[in-house]
Amino acid sequence: MDTGASVKGDLSGHTKAINSVSWKPTRPFRIATGSEDSKAAFFEGPPFVFKCTKGDHGKFVQSVRFSPNGERFATGGFDGKIFVYNGSSSDLDKELGSPAHKGGIYAVSIRNTFSS
């Protein structure tokens, strides 16, 4: 988005290539990234600053997506696992399956609600 304002940020926190980026669509804004270093990173902003990394995956994190309401974000990786986190604090909410299936996960899509 080009608002005409000069807003800078820093997407640090990974040691290898970033495979996926997702933007929290509601305030307070957040960004989550997934990388070949097997980690997800979480940023608060704007301007976006690194908050923490999540090392729950054992292989590349291929996909990161926020829910439409921004309450959660999910990560999917080559380890076949999906993790769901709080969209504002980045706290781990749950793991879906262990693993969710036998192959790697290339993409995740998230709805607003989860069943227990």
Side-chain angles (χ1 to χ4, degrees):
M1 300 182 311
D2 187 5
T3 62
S6 175
V7 178
K8 296 183 180 185
D10 180 20
L11 291 183
S12 59
H14 289 294
T15 59
K16 294 188 178 177
I18 294 173
N19 296 324
S20 184
V21 177
S22 188
W23 172 287
K24 182 176 178 280
T26 57
R27 293 186 185 269
F29 295 124
R30 304 286 189 258
I31 289 177
T33 59
S35 172
E36 291 180 4
D37 62 7
S38 304
K39 293 181 175 38
F42 191 71
F43 303 85
E44 296 178 333
F48 291 99
V49 293
F50 173 76
K51 180 180 177 186
C52 64
T53 56
K54 299 295 181 176
D56 299 306
H57 286 281
K59 293 184 179 177
F60 292 2
V61 178
Q62 282 300 108
S63 184
V64 177
R65 292 292 176 269
F66 274 96
S67 62
N69 65 8
E71 289 181 7
R72 292 181 173 81
F73 72 95
T75 62
F78 275 175
D79 56 4
K81 295 181 180 183
I82 298 172
F83 294 96
V84 180
Y85 301 90
N86 180 287
S88 293
S89 69
S90 77
D91 293 335
L92 179 63
D93 282 346
K94 63 177 71 179
E95 178 181 349
L96 301 179
S98 187
H101 61 83
K102 294 179 184 176
I105 296 171
Y106 288 84
V108 293
S109 179
I110 185 171
R111 296 185 302 175
N112 286 339
T113 59
F114 286 95
S115 57
S116 298

